[in-house]
Amino acid sequence: MFRFAHPDLLYLLIIIPLLIVFYVVARIRKKKAIAEFGSPELLATLMPLQSYKRETLKFILVLMALFFVILGVAGPQFGSKLQQVKKEGVELIIALDVSNSMMAQDIKPSRLEAAKQAISRMVEKLSDDKVGLIVFAGDAYVQLPITTDYSSAKLFLSGINTDIVPIQGTAIGNAVDLAAKSFTPETETSIIVITDGENHQDDAVAAAKAAREKGIFVHTIGMGLAQGAPIPEKGNPGQYMRDGSGNPVISKLDEETLKEIAKAGEGIFVRASNSNVGLNTLLDEIDRMDKTLLEERVFSDYAEKYQYFLIMALIFVLLDFMVLGRKNKNFLKINIFGSEGKSVETNR
């Protein structure tokens, strides 16, 4: 496998066609200047050592040297072998509630934003573990399949909002079921459900029990405070959702439901607060779990090969020094460069 350590430097290759254009223009102007000065045939007898072919050859040698220098500094590397890298870790899927109630601001700046910030910090601490991301409201969707690409996880996380799921509501059971189907078989796995717990659509406790029967632990994080908070209206700053009687809708943490889900999944329930969402507590618990051997095949042992390209550049530089810009008067009778190599007789 071949790659460049510094591929951005390859943009310097644009210099070569620019130099060619400059050289061609210079040659055209030079020929026009000579034609204005006198007859080319007459001037050729006055300048017997002049060789345009030698000048072109030297220019080509310089371009080749520059070409290999640019390739060399770009850091060409070859993968010497395909190596199997073995890693031990766990698979972790985070099921994040994106229903409208997660916009309540009893957890600052909002339940959803606080959860996203905590997930981002948690991902930064992962090393050999795999992580996946599911979003749910009235239904559940895989936002990011199981992966060790933590940069992609943070990228997908940044784009999550309450509009990402078309059906509103809170279907925790659907999220747990979908997460349970998304793991690699025979791995040590955990689901972390982050929600305010206001589940009205399915049996989340039964879903957690079913997941545990498959060897999956189900943890819950309760986003919200006991006293609750009103739900902001989208597009109307300072306004809140209201019920049929015109009263603000207050979203409260359903702690009991989340405890029951965690108990059924033999996991841990953590109550979030404005100072701590609780993901670090769960991550410490997950770190104590038995690790599963995860295997990946990657190209490794990249060998630096820049020296070969610089050697080629040096060879072309040496050839440029060896080729004279003018014909050697001692070799005028040797026809190397076509008609220009013919000897010119002079009267003594």
Side-chain angles (χ1 to χ4, degrees), residues 82-283:
L82 184 64
Q83 179 179 337
Q84 189 178 53
V85 178
K86 296 182 179 180
K87 298 180 179 180
E88 286 189 343
V90 298
E91 290 190 356
L92 173 67
I93 289 183
I94 298 172
L96 179 59
D97 186 354
V98 292
S99 59
N100 288 330
S101 60
M102 288 292 286
M103 295 305 296
Q105 298 174 352
D106 47 353
I107 302 291
K108 303 297 182 181
S110 71
R111 296 173 182 176
L112 180 59
E113 287 303 315
K116 288 170 57 176
Q117 293 170 10
I119 295 171
S120 180
R121 290 192 297 268
M122 186 202 72
V123 168
E124 292 175 353
K125 296 181 179 180
L126 297 178
S127 55
D128 295 333
D129 302 310
K130 290 185 177 182
V131 64
L133 188 59
I134 286 176
V135 294
F136 70 94
D139 204 349
Y141 303 88
V142 175
Q143 179 74 359
L144 177 71
I146 284 286
T147 182
T148 55
D149 187 351
Y150 303 138
S151 297
S152 294
K154 295 183 69 173
L155 179 62
F156 278 94
L157 182 65
S158 64
I160 291 177
N161 55 57
T162 56
D163 296 324
I164 202 169
V165 174
I167 304 174
Q168 278 298 316
T170 306
I172 299 176
N174 284 355
V176 173
D177 288 338
L178 180 59
K181 298 174 183 177
S182 303
F183 288 110
T184 304
E186 299 181 359
T187 57
E188 195 69 23
T189 56
S190 290
I191 301 171
I192 298 179
V193 180
I194 304 179
T195 178
D196 51 31
E198 292 185 323
N199 188 68
H200 308 293
Q201 296 182 241
D202 52 25
D203 191 344
V205 174
K209 287 181 179 179
R212 187 66 196 104
E213 290 174 357
K214 298 178 181 179
I216 302 169
F217 294 92
V218 181
H219 310 279
T220 57
I221 294 180
M223 299 298 299
L225 303 182
Q227 66 271 24
I231 304 173
E233 273 193 5
K234 295 179 183 178
N236 293 314
Q239 300 297 316
Y240 299 95
M241 292 184 178
R242 297 180 180 275
D243 58 21
S245 302
N247 299 316
V249 176
I250 304 298
S251 173
K252 297 181 180 181
L253 172 65
D254 188 348
E255 185 172 320
E256 292 305 315
T257 297
L258 294 182
K259 286 182 177 179
E260 290 179 12
I261 295 172
K263 182 179 179 180
E266 296 185 14
I268 297 173
F269 165 74
V270 179
R271 184 190 304 107
S273 67
N274 277 301
S275 59
N276 180 22
V277 170
L279 267 173
N280 288 335
T281 302
L282 286 180
L283 188 59

Side-chain angles (χ1 to χ4, degrees), residues 36-110:
E36 293 175 357
F37 184 75
S39 171
E41 292 77 10
L42 177 61
L43 292 175
T45 62
L46 297 177
M47 300 182 295
L49 302 181
Q50 181 69 33
S51 173
Y52 290 115
K53 290 185 178 180
R54 288 174 179 265
E55 290 179 0
T56 300
L57 177 60
K58 288 177 66 64
F59 176 71
I60 292 174
L61 292 174
V62 170
L63 287 185
M64 292 301 296
L66 179 60
F67 173 75
F68 281 104
V69 166
I70 293 174
L71 293 184
V73 298
Q77 298 175 331
F78 287 89
S80 59
K81 63 180 179 180
L82 184 64
Q83 179 179 337
Q84 189 178 53
V85 178
K86 296 182 179 180
K87 298 180 179 180
E88 286 189 343
V90 298
E91 290 190 356
L92 173 67
I93 289 183
I94 298 172
L96 179 59
D97 186 354
V98 292
S99 59
N100 288 330
S101 60
M102 288 292 286
M103 295 305 296
Q105 298 174 352
D106 47 353
I107 302 291
K108 303 297 182 181
S110 71

